[in-house]
Amino acid sequence: MFKRVHIRLTLLCAGIPAIITIILSLCYLYVSEQGLYKNRFQAFQNDMNTIATNLEQQSVISMEWLSKMETQGNYLFFVLDNGIPFLYNRLKDDIETSNRSKLLEESQAACRQMFEVTPSTPSNTYYNSYHLEYEFTSASTDTDYLGSVIFMGERSSSLQIYVLSSLESLKEQMRVQRFHFFLIDLSAVLLLAVFSWFFTGRLLQPIMESHEKQTRFIASASHELRTPLAVILSAAECCNTAPPEKQETLLKTIQQEGLRMSALVDDMLTLSASDNLRFSTQKQPTELDTLLMNCYEAFEPLAKEKSIDLSIRLPEEALPLCSVDPKRITQVLSILLHNAVSYTPEKGIIILSLSYRKNHFYLSVADNGIGVSEEDKKRIFDRFYRVEKSRSSKEHFGLGLSIAQEIVKAHGGSIDVTDTEGGGSTFTIML
């Protein structure tokens, strides 16, 4: 399921920017190519102005001059005197393999179609010459050209000069530019795809972890609830046929298992409220030394029953008040002390202590019990996780430390576990 979602999110995150990038690239290419063509056309017009001015100043048009202008400007010149081609044109037709006369006819046809003029149209202006520019595609060479016709002379005689410039270099420049943009867009799409794949993967990671934890939570909760429920159902069934003296024992068993289920459900509701950000705390200025003393007095009888030495260490100097929810912090200490009493052998030692350093309160519960391995330390605060040695205990569901951690987090503090010197575990709360 998550793999399919990952792929779809990647396509979404990469697809939209990729489409926008491609559209913007196409728009830029269109504007750029229009600008290139406009600049080329304007440069061609300026060249025609220069050529027309030079022609006005010459009394003779020599073949040397025409050849020089063709070479310098990469142009094709066709000179007509009253519609008759100059000798230069006929010589070029004989020398070159391309059919220049056919190209001239196509240029004249395009000029007539665009401006409705004929090759013999004289100038109707006060100037000695004028020129017209146009574009056409040659069918004989399959090439686009810019063309210009320059009219010169009197009404009785006229001189027409057709100048053609191939747009093949401009087309090649545009093709190279399009290829470069294609490579850039392709690289951008690939980079977006790779980035989106890792980015969406990072986004989905906490969701996947949460889903995995939820699945484990449901499986573990089902297992934990099934055991007391099976005992209750079995005891209830036995009550129907058991003699009166045994029914009292069965009912007591049902009550005990019902209380276990109630405690488990309460713990699960506490964690559910934390997951849904509905975990409430009612903070107030609290004397932590008094709070620890109350916890010590509450667990001292239980420790004596197991012959465990429970002691408390408080600082001699007066401590400032700490803004906490006293009931919640008492709940955390009760969880830690209950665990310590459960996993510490007879004649063991448990030390409840409080210290204050650099504006931080440190509450710790240290014991010399079975201890926690390095592997278990990484998961000891996970829900329903219990170390191997305590799995047989019915008193622990593996939720206590998870609840303690959530309560401490709600206070902006931290809780961690370290090894007690000489063996055992030390749980430290920092507030």
Side-chain angles (χ1 to χ4, degrees):
M1 178 185 70
F2 283 104
K3 185 176 181 180
R4 187 163 57 249
V5 173
H6 191 188
I7 293 173
R8 291 180 178 179
L9 281 177
T10 300
L11 292 175
L12 179 65
C13 292
I16 294 177
I19 291 173
I20 294 175
T21 301
I22 292 172
I23 291 175
L24 290 177
S25 297
L26 292 176
C27 292
Y28 178 83
L29 272 177
Y30 175 78
V31 173
S32 176
E33 290 180 0
Q34 290 296 315
L36 288 173
Y37 175 79
K38 184 178 179 180
N39 292 338
R40 179 65 178 274
F41 192 81
Q42 289 178 348
F44 182 71
Q45 285 182 319
N46 293 335
D47 287 349
M48 294 306 103
N49 286 330
T50 303
I51 291 173
T53 302
N54 289 338
L55 287 172
E56 289 177 357
Q57 297 174 356
Q58 296 184 44
S59 58
V60 177
I61 301 177
S62 65
M63 289 195 295
E64 182 183 358
W65 182 85
L66 290 173
S67 180
K68 181 180 178 182
M69 293 301 295
E70 281 193 347
T71 303
Q72 289 180 348
N74 198 21
Y75 295 134
L76 295 177
F77 277 77
F78 300 90
V79 185
L80 304 177
D81 185 7
N82 289 326
I84 301 174
F86 269 26
L87 178 60
Y88 175 80
N89 297 6
R90 295 194 296 270
L91 291 175
K92 281 287 185 179
D93 257 350
D94 295 336
I95 296 173
E96 297 182 0
T97 56
S98 60
N99 192 346
R100 289 170 61 98
S101 59
K102 181 63 176 178
L103 195 58
L104 174 60
E105 292 175 3
E106 292 173 340
S107 177
Q108 288 175 318
C111 183
R112 285 194 300 268
Q113 183 179 359
M114 184 169 295
F115 300 109
E116 297 183 356
V117 297
T118 63
S120 59
T121 302
S123 174
N124 293 319
T125 66
Y126 293 106
Y127 300 99
N128 291 330
S129 66
Y130 75 99
H131 54 91
L132 303 172
E133 281 71 44
Y134 53 92
E135 181 185 356
F136 74 99
T137 300
S138 171
S140 59
T141 60
D142 194 24
T143 305
D144 294 332
Y145 287 93
L146 287 178
S148 177
V149 56
I150 304 173
F151 296 98
M152 303 184 66
E154 303 295 336
R155 290 184 179 273
S156 58
S157 63
S158 63
L159 188 67
Q160 300 91 36
I161 300 96
Y162 286 87
V163 184
L164 304 183
S165 175
S166 174
L167 291 176
E168 190 59 33
S169 61
L170 179 63
K171 299 294 183 182
E172 180 63 23
Q173 183 180 357
M174 290 181 178
R175 284 193 292 268
V176 171
Q177 181 174 258
R178 290 174 184 177
F179 179 71
H180 288 165
F181 267 84
F182 170 76
L183 292 180
I184 292 173
D185 287 345
L186 181 62
S187 302
V189 171
L190 292 176
L191 288 175
L192 282 171
V194 173
F195 171 78
S196 299
W197 177 262
F198 287 102
F199 180 70
T200 53
R202 292 291 296 274
L203 287 179
L204 287 174
Q205 190 65 32
I207 300 176
M208 294 169 63
E209 292 176 357
S210 176
H211 181 266
E212 185 179 354
K213 288 181 179 179
Q214 185 181 29
T215 303
R216 290 201 306 263
F217 181 82
I218 293 173
S220 301
S222 301
H223 174 75
E224 295 292 347
L225 287 170
R226 187 182 295 114
T227 301
L229 184 60
V231 174
I232 290 173
L233 293 175
S234 177
E237 185 178 356
C238 292
C239 280
N240 295 326
T241 57
E245 61 272 12
K246 288 188 176 182
Q247 287 183 355
E248 184 178 355
T249 303
L250 292 172
L251 291 174
K252 186 176 181 180
T253 300
I254 291 174
Q255 183 182 21
Q256 290 176 346
E257 295 300 321
L259 291 175
R260 288 187 67 238
M261 289 185 65
S262 177
L264 176 59
V265 170
D266 288 341
D267 290 345
M268 292 169 62
L269 290 175
T270 300
L271 292 172
S272 175
S274 174
D275 292 339
N276 296 324
L277 303 179
R278 292 186 287 105
F279 194 84
S280 60
T281 57
Q282 298 177 355
K283 296 181 180 181
Q284 62 188 52
T286 304
E287 294 179 350
L288 290 183
D289 49 358
T290 302
L291 189 146
L292 259 71
M293 183 62 70
N294 293 335
C295 290
Y296 166 76
E297 293 174 354
F299 277 86
E300 188 179 19
L302 182 61
K304 283 185 178 180
E305 288 182 7
K306 293 189 65 176
S307 301
I308 294 175
D309 181 16
L310 174 62
S311 60
I312 183 171
R313 296 178 182 177
L314 300 175
E316 296 181 359
E317 67 276 6
L319 299 180
L321 299 178
C322 182
S323 179
V324 296
D325 185 334
K327 292 183 179 180
R328 292 293 190 184
I329 298 301
T330 299
Q331 183 181 1
V332 174
L333 292 174
S334 298
I335 291 171
L336 298 179
L337 286 170
H338 191 271
N339 286 347
V341 171
S342 299
Y343 302 138
T344 300
E346 290 186 3
K347 298 182 180 180
I349 298 174
I350 299 176
I351 301 174
L352 178 63
S353 61
L354 170 66
S355 61
Y356 180 75
R357 302 187 301 273
K358 297 180 180 180
N359 296 326
H360 288 84
F361 294 91
Y362 296 89
L363 297 76
S364 65
V365 177
D367 63 64
N368 63 346
I370 59 176
V372 181
S373 66
E374 292 298 326
E375 182 180 354
D376 290 329
K377 286 177 184 177
K378 300 176 182 178
R379 299 185 56 192
I380 198 169
F381 293 102
D382 292 349
R383 298 174 186 183
F384 288 109
Y385 183 79
R386 291 177 293 185
V387 296
E388 195 67 30
K389 296 177 182 179
S390 65
R391 288 193 181 277
S392 60
S393 174
K394 288 187 175 181
E395 298 178 357
H396 300 274
F397 299 107
L399 294 178
L401 291 178
S402 300
I403 294 173
Q405 186 182 52
E406 295 297 334
I407 293 174
V408 174
K409 282 184 178 180
H411 285 78
S414 63
I415 180 172
D416 59 5
V417 57
T418 56
D419 294 330
T420 303
E421 185 177 353
S425 304
T426 300
F427 287 85
T428 303
I429 304 166
M430 184 187 72
L431 298 172

